[in-house]
Amino acid sequence: MKIRSILGLAATASIAFAACSGAATPAPATPVATPPASTAPGDTPAPSTPAAATVRLQLQWVPQAQFAGYFAAERQGYFAAEGLTVNIIPGGPDVIPQVAGSAPDGPEFTISWVPKVLEAREQGSDLVNIAQIFQRSGTLSVSWADSGIGGPADFKGKKIGVWDFGNEFEVTAGALTEGFVAGTDYEKVIQPFDMSLLLNRQIDVAEAMIYNEYAQVLEAINPATGNLYQPSDLSVINWNDYRVGMLQDALFVRQAWLDAPGNRDIAVRFVRASLNGWIYCRDKPDDCIQYTVDAGSTLGSGHQAWMMNEINALIWPSPAGIGSVDPISWADTVKVSLTTGIIKTDPGLAPYVTDIWKEALAGIDAAMDVKGETFTKGSVEVTAGGN
């Protein structure tokens, strides 16, 4: 697997992984045999192999379990079985994936959050969602239990931490459910991509991903006890509970690229291999944690175990099959984007297509549980420093 960086773009988001299930794991994809153009009567057509292609995948952040399904697709040979060589490009604070992916010479495949792409499309991007991997939002707002902050109704006059560049949309929308506007009713503080401001009590509330920054607090030592912080020390707002959680990690391609001859077939094969990778990570999370560490994760295996467990719970179950776009979640995402001013007009259904993930899903072994109907979220022991 080749990994290289794209630099020179402005800052972006955060993310991470983990989980458990008992279904069978997919074998490397078997290319569908198609008869050659000229086959003599009575001859048995020779199996064909997919046309070789080299493509790039832009990650939304640095290597971590948030992307384990793609690392698994590489390590388990699912990409290779589809004739694909995939160069995985790390993200980071100097990369905005939806900007990189929108460039005419940008990566063929991009991972980003849906509202960020809706915003980019209003600015001229032609990115289109071809597979919705996360079925629910992982965004939290976290405060100390002794702060008395139990929900957005308690934001009045407080210092509310968020990340910028589109990562703050759900927190902004949550505050608006109480009629609170940043700068008027509360102070918006731009956080670094860690939990230092909350740990030092410099802000009252911090934005956190359930699979990453929330765990970073639990992995820290409470100086009052000498032990790790406990969930009971914290008050957690899950924005899904307020109907402002929006669709997050999805696979996007440029419409212009998709329309070029041969590229739709490449997209189907890429999605099929990726979905097989995510099924593998559901069933064999320990392998995928190691694949993530091997891919260059800067956080420890203990933290990646937490992340993998939580990431799996954002994907599974997928009631209509992994990769599907839930119409209700899509409508909620658009509604919140309009309410908060992220976008000015309803994009309708133009920003996503359903035929690619459906065709990819149809090519996965029928023995696989593509909906995760038997999925049960596992439990992970928190380790000091995530080691």
Side-chain angles (χ1 to χ4, degrees):
M1 174 173 58
K2 302 175 184 175
I3 301 182
R4 59 187 178 83
S5 299
I6 289 181
L7 302 177
L9 301 168
T12 187
S14 59
I15 334 276
F17 264 63
C20 179
S21 172
T25 55
T30 301
V32 177
T34 53
S38 57
T39 303
D43 285 354
T44 301
S48 66
T49 56
T54 298
V55 295
R56 296 159 293 174
L57 170 64
Q58 175 66 63
L59 303 185
Q60 182 160 274
W61 195 241
V62 297
Q64 57 186 15
Q66 178 184 359
F67 314 114
Y70 310 105
F71 302 145
E74 172 73 22
R75 294 287 292 271
Q76 287 296 311
Y78 303 137
F79 285 141
E82 298 287 355
L84 300 176
T85 298
V86 179
N87 296 326
I88 299 179
I89 306 170
D94 55 355
V95 176
I96 302 177
Q98 65 272 22
V99 173
S102 297
D105 60 349
E108 290 76 16
F109 299 93
T110 298
I111 301 167
S112 187
W113 289 3
V114 169
K116 296 180 185 182
V117 171
L118 295 181
E119 181 182 49
R121 284 177 61 91
E122 284 204 342
Q123 298 169 2
S125 171
D126 69 339
L127 287 176
V128 61
N129 183 333
I130 60 171
Q132 182 63 50
I133 305 303
F134 286 13
Q135 296 294 301
R136 49 204 65 87
S137 169
T139 304
L140 308 175
S141 283
V142 180
S143 59
W144 297 109
D146 60 14
S147 70
I149 299 172
D154 303 313
F155 281 7
K156 185 77 171 178
K158 303 296 186 181
K159 293 181 178 180
I160 309 301
V162 295
W163 301 302
D164 214 341
F165 299 100
N167 300 291
E168 76 280 14
F169 292 155
E170 289 160 306
V171 182
T172 301
L176 282 173
T177 64
E178 299 293 337
F180 294 161
V181 177
T184 301
D185 301 294
Y186 65 92
E187 180 182 349
K188 182 174 80 170
V189 179
I190 303 302
Q191 301 172 209
F193 293 109
D194 57 40
M195 297 300 277
S196 58
L197 296 186
L198 182 71
L199 288 168
N200 295 328
R201 294 188 179 254
Q202 294 172 270
I203 56 177
D204 299 296
V205 180
E207 185 175 2
M209 301 309 296
I210 193 171
Y211 51 82
N212 195 354
E213 290 77 18
Y214 176 59
Q216 289 179 24
V217 178
L218 298 178
E219 292 163 355
I221 299 294
N222 181 346
T225 65
N227 299 315
L228 297 179
Y229 283 108
Q230 299 300 308
S232 58
D233 295 321
L234 303 170
S235 177
V236 176
I237 300 169
N238 187 321
W239 291 114
N240 292 299
D241 297 338
Y242 291 83
R243 290 296 297 272
V244 296
M246 294 191 278
L247 291 171
Q248 297 185 340
D249 287 33
L251 284 170
F252 294 89
V253 298
R254 295 182 302 281
Q255 186 69 58
W257 178 86
L258 190 61
D259 292 341
N263 285 349
R264 184 187 177 281
D265 176 63
I266 292 173
V268 170
R269 288 188 275 144
F270 181 89
V271 170
R272 183 164 52 233
S274 299
L275 300 186
N276 270 320
W278 283 115
I279 293 170
Y280 187 89
C281 287
R282 179 195 66 201
D283 299 340
K284 295 187 180 297
D286 289 347
D287 286 357
C288 290
I289 293 163
Q290 187 59 53
Y291 297 161
T292 300
V293 172
D294 293 345
S297 167
T298 58
L299 297 173
S301 58
H303 187 81
Q304 297 305 331
W306 174 283
M307 188 178 287
M308 186 76 258
N309 194 53
E310 296 295 338
I311 290 293
N312 271 331
L314 297 180
I315 298 172
W316 310 103
S318 294
I322 182 173
S324 62
V325 175
D326 174 57
I328 295 176
S329 297
W330 180 268
D332 284 347
T333 298
V334 170
K335 180 180 178 180
V336 173
S337 297
L338 288 166
T339 300
T340 55
I342 299 166
I343 56 175
K344 296 179 177 61
T345 59
D346 189 332
L349 305 182
Y352 75 87
V353 297
T354 61
D355 58 316
I356 290 175
W357 71 262
K358 286 181 178 179
E359 184 174 337
L361 213 57
I364 292 177
D365 190 323
M368 297 301 106
D369 176 10
V370 298
K371 297 182 179 181
E373 293 176 322
T374 62
F375 172 76
T376 301
K377 183 180 176 181
S379 59
V380 172
E381 181 180 356
V382 176
T383 56
N387 296 317

